[in-house]
Amino acid sequence: MPAFKITVNGKPHTVNVEGDTPLLWVLRDELQLVGTKFGCGIGQCGACTVHLDGDATRSCLLTVGQVEDRHITTIEGLSEDNSHPVQQAWKEADVPQCGYCQAGQIMTASAFLSHNPNPSREDIRGAMQGNICRCATYVRIEKAVALASEKMS
């Protein structure tokens, strides 16, 4: 079985998996980083969102062979103590209900705000529309993204 060298949350890892193994399963099964969730497996729900070189990316759509020499950040690597402004805003806005989609939502929001630090309400809706929340906490998600933007200014 081939060995792939990947960098996750700033740490190098060597994983022995087939090159077409989805990054999602490498993170969860090989590296035990289970904050990244399986949702749909076809890139439509956003539960598996990670940062790839700083951009929000669906880990279920990437193979381990595609991410060598790239920097991957999972929810566990966003901050060591949950102090990232988006994580703090999520708590303050009381976003989660079941919580299943929240890691993907937070990863999408944090990447979005790194590229657009002063978004309009429409910008926020556009950026977050690809993440599905079965509990329908969309109003609180929008509020949290706006609050995080203020915190980051």
Side-chain angles (χ1 to χ4, degrees):
M1 194 168 300
F4 291 90
K5 294 180 181 186
I6 61 174
T7 302
V8 180
N9 300 331
K11 298 176 186 169
H13 298 275
T14 300
V15 293
N16 295 308
V17 297
E18 295 297 329
D20 62 352
T21 303
L23 175 61
L24 170 64
W25 299 118
V26 171
L27 296 172
R28 291 184 59 81
D29 296 343
E30 302 297 321
L31 302 181
Q32 308 307 306
L33 295 169
V34 296
T36 303
K37 304 297 186 205
F38 172 77
C40 66
I42 58 172
Q44 297 297 306
C45 74
C48 70
T49 302
V50 298
H51 294 173
L52 183 64
D53 296 330
D55 294 323
T57 307
R58 306 295 202 249
S59 64
C60 70
L61 296 178
L62 292 171
T63 65
V64 70
Q66 293 175 299
V67 298
E68 278 194 304
D69 302 319
R70 311 280 301 271
H71 296 281
I72 302 156
T73 304
T74 67
I75 189 72
E76 293 92 345
L78 194 58
S79 71
E80 290 183 19
D81 59 358
N82 296 320
S83 63
H84 189 281
V86 174
Q87 292 170 312
Q88 291 299 310
W90 240 249
K91 290 179 198 173
E92 289 177 34
D94 195 26
V95 174
Q97 283 188 10
C98 84
Y100 198 83
C101 71
Q102 298 309 302
Q105 299 273 4
I106 288 168
M107 296 304 286
T108 298
S110 59
F112 164 66
L113 290 174
S114 73
H115 299 300
N116 186 350
N118 298 304
S120 68
R121 184 174 181 187
E122 291 76 27
D123 293 337
I124 293 170
R125 281 189 177 168
M128 300 305 295
Q129 74 178 353
N131 288 71
I132 297 171
C133 175
R134 294 182 75 180
C135 301
T137 63
Y138 298 112
V139 172
R140 285 186 273 174
I141 289 167
E142 287 178 23
K143 180 180 175 182
V145 175
L147 180 58
S149 171
E150 292 172 17
K151 289 177 173 293
M152 296 170 85
S153 305

